[in-house]
Amino acid sequence: MDKFRLSCPCHFGLESVLSFEAKKIGAENVKADNGRVTFEGDFNIIARANLCLSTAERVLIELAEFKAYTFEELFQGVKKIPLEDFIGKTEAFPVKGYSLNSTLRSIPDCQAIIKKAAAERLMGKYGVNWLEESGAVHQIQFGIMKDTVTIYLDTSGAGLHKRGYRRNSNLAPIKETLAAGIIDLAHVRDNSFVCDPFCGSGTFLIESAFKALNIAPGLNRRFAAEKWGMSDEKIWSDERKRAISLVKRDVDFHGIGFDIDEECITLSNDNIKKAGITSKLSASRADIRSFDDIENAVVICNPPYGERMLELKQAEELYRIMGRKFSKDKGNTYYIISPHESFETFFGRPADKRRKLYNGMIKCQLFMYFR
């Protein structure tokens, strides 16, 4: 099979960012939908997408789409899929998924039916009456929405937000894929000066450096599809070499982070070191009240937010301080993500632009202030 139909889930609000990324790596027929982007490409594009897409959650091969109102229709629909083109005689194929607004509501029953159909198909094709499933994992995913079933194979394995550098984090880290999307919206370039005054575990700083230096976020990890029997090792090797060749090593980018918590600074510097970009980034302990010296920077941050009353009052006071310190006269631009619906009121001025985003299950706004 030369080309595959691929699907990449993403954070709601980042579909346009991911669409641009997909086109940039050479994907064809790119289309954005709610919370995902679909496109077409060969196995080189599968490898390139896993290595290079910074805002995708994972890369899925779309195997089939069909209507199913009964378990028999679900069974027969799955059994028609040529799974033997992907899954070898000894390879594993666990099943997981979801069902929304559909007749087939029971997730465990749907899992069992899909597993049985896949097994019967493979046993028939391989002429065996038992599958040992001791080899590489081919995670089958299903989605049933309004009685339309979509079956996928997950090529990524662990989610693509797991870059390999953040083995340590603070209690409330922002996800790497969301951070990368915000950095793209902030127009970070290879000559940008980026500052995060609430740097936590350093995610905004590191993702900014990846963007500025054109470092593929997946370079330091492996992917599920690399272990598949039908996978070509040379493709993955060539795509890694391609990604490395595109890194911009001599750029003017610099990033600096601050946090009032000494433990967060230790985490940030540790993760910066793991990411291999200590020459471009640094983090040190400082209170937001000492922010006056920052000029001509792209300021990106995820300030603390309290869910309990006392913590919420403290967060609101913090927003007031930010409003005083984040001056319009310093030549900075500001990108602040917050779930607080009245953030602008406490900050002291309306944003020049806002964008709705989701940090996990929390609805947020990205408040953007320009020069």
Side-chain angles (χ1 to χ4, degrees):
M1 189 181 295
D2 294 328
K3 287 190 179 180
F4 305 91
R5 179 172 171 80
L6 305 171
S7 179
C8 292
C10 65
H11 285 270
F12 285 100
L14 295 183
E15 295 88 352
S16 62
V17 176
L18 179 53
S19 293
F20 179 80
E21 282 195 283
K23 292 173 184 176
K24 189 176 177 181
I25 66 167
E28 300 175 0
N29 297 323
V30 179
K31 296 179 181 177
D33 200 354
N34 288 332
R36 69 176 57 242
V37 169
T38 60
F39 51 91
E40 294 177 356
D42 57 14
F43 220 97
N44 283 86
I45 292 296
I46 289 176
R48 195 175 302 170
N50 275 293
L51 285 163
C52 300
L53 295 181
S54 67
T55 56
E57 295 300 312
R58 54 186 67 248
V59 181
L60 307 172
I61 299 173
E62 185 176 313
L63 298 178
E65 186 174 280
F66 55 90
K67 286 285 187 179
Y69 301 94
T70 67
F71 286 126
E72 180 61 23
E73 289 174 330
L74 178 62
F75 180 88
Q76 294 300 334
V78 173
K79 195 174 179 181
K80 291 178 183 177
I81 301 171
L83 295 171
E84 65 279 1
D85 290 345
F86 302 91
I87 305 172
K89 186 177 179 180
T90 63
E91 293 179 325
F93 52 102
V95 178
K96 65 180 180 181
Y98 66 88
S99 178
L100 296 172
N101 303 320
S102 298
T103 307
L104 303 177
R105 298 174 184 170
S106 170
I107 304 301
D109 287 340
C110 290
Q111 284 178 294
I113 292 295
I114 292 170
K115 181 73 175 182
K116 183 179 179 182
E120 287 201 12
R121 169 86 189 198
L122 292 170
M123 286 190 294
K125 291 295 178 179
Y126 291 124
V128 297
N129 55 17
W130 181 72
L131 297 166
E132 62 182 75
E133 295 194 62
S134 60
V137 175
H138 296 63
Q139 177 69 63
I140 296 176
Q141 291 196 14
F142 68 89
I144 308 177
M145 175 70 78
K146 296 180 180 179
D147 300 310
T148 298
V149 180
T150 311
I151 305 295
Y152 305 97
L153 273 185
D154 178 11
T155 71
S156 301
L160 294 182
H161 69 281
K162 295 187 177 181
R163 319 290 208 206
Y165 65 76
R166 197 170 76 178
R167 286 185 279 275
N168 298 310
S169 67
N170 58 326
L171 290 176
I174 193 166
K175 206 171 183 181
E176 293 89 335
T177 44
L178 177 58
I182 292 171
I183 285 154
D184 195 89
L185 294 170
H187 305 291
V188 170
R189 300 291 184 260
D190 60 11
N191 62 348
S192 295
F193 169 35
V194 169
C195 176
D196 181 357
F198 307 98
C199 65
S201 54
T203 306
F204 275 133
L205 297 175
I206 295 168
E207 293 296 325
S208 291
F210 280 1
K211 172 77 174 179
L213 278 65
N214 202 37
I215 297 172
L219 268 179
N220 292 325
R221 57 160 289 179
R222 297 287 171 173
F223 306 95
E226 291 186 74
K227 299 178 182 178
W228 295 357
M230 51 85 71
S231 180
D232 186 344
E233 290 182 10
K234 187 176 185 302
I235 287 176
W236 291 94
S237 176
D238 288 346
E239 288 300 328
R240 280 193 169 84
K241 290 176 184 176
R242 174 188 176 276
I244 291 170
S245 73
L246 295 174
V247 174
K248 301 176 182 178
R249 303 187 186 279
D250 186 20
V251 298
D252 294 330
F253 169 85
H254 180 64
I256 186 168
F258 304 108
D259 204 290
I260 196 170
D261 189 334
E262 189 66 49
E263 183 179 349
C264 287
I265 296 306
T266 300
L267 285 173
S268 288
N269 285 318
D270 186 33
N271 290 335
I272 288 167
K273 184 177 181 180
K274 288 170 184 164
I277 40 182
T278 53
S279 65
K280 296 295 182 181
L281 301 175
S282 62
S284 58
R285 186 178 182 277
D287 191 293
I288 186 64
R289 292 171 179 82
S290 62
F291 191 74
D292 297 307
D293 295 335
I294 302 299
E295 295 183 357
N296 300 314
V298 182
V299 179
I300 309 172
C301 62
N302 176 30
Y305 174 75
E307 295 183 355
R308 293 184 298 232
M309 185 59 69
L310 180 61
E311 293 174 342
L312 184 57
K313 293 297 182 184
Q314 291 172 336
E316 289 167 355
E317 178 58 27
L318 184 63
Y319 300 157
R320 291 189 182 96
I321 296 170
M322 290 167 60
R324 294 194 295 268
K325 293 296 180 179
F326 288 10
S327 170
K328 293 188 289 185
D329 302 324
K330 298 285 187 178
N332 299 327
T333 55
Y334 301 96
Y335 297 82
I336 308 158
I337 185 170
S338 173
H340 200 306
E341 294 182 359
S342 300
F343 170 84
E344 291 161 300
T345 300
F346 293 101
F347 189 75
R349 62 184 186 270
D352 294 310
K353 190 175 181 181
R354 295 190 300 174
R355 191 183 188 105
K356 186 188 297 183
L357 297 171
Y358 280 83
N359 187 3
M361 298 301 293
I362 302 173
K363 183 172 74 172
C364 299
Q365 292 278 353
L366 181 64
F367 299 96
M368 295 173 261
Y369 296 87
F370 308 135
R371 294 185 178 89

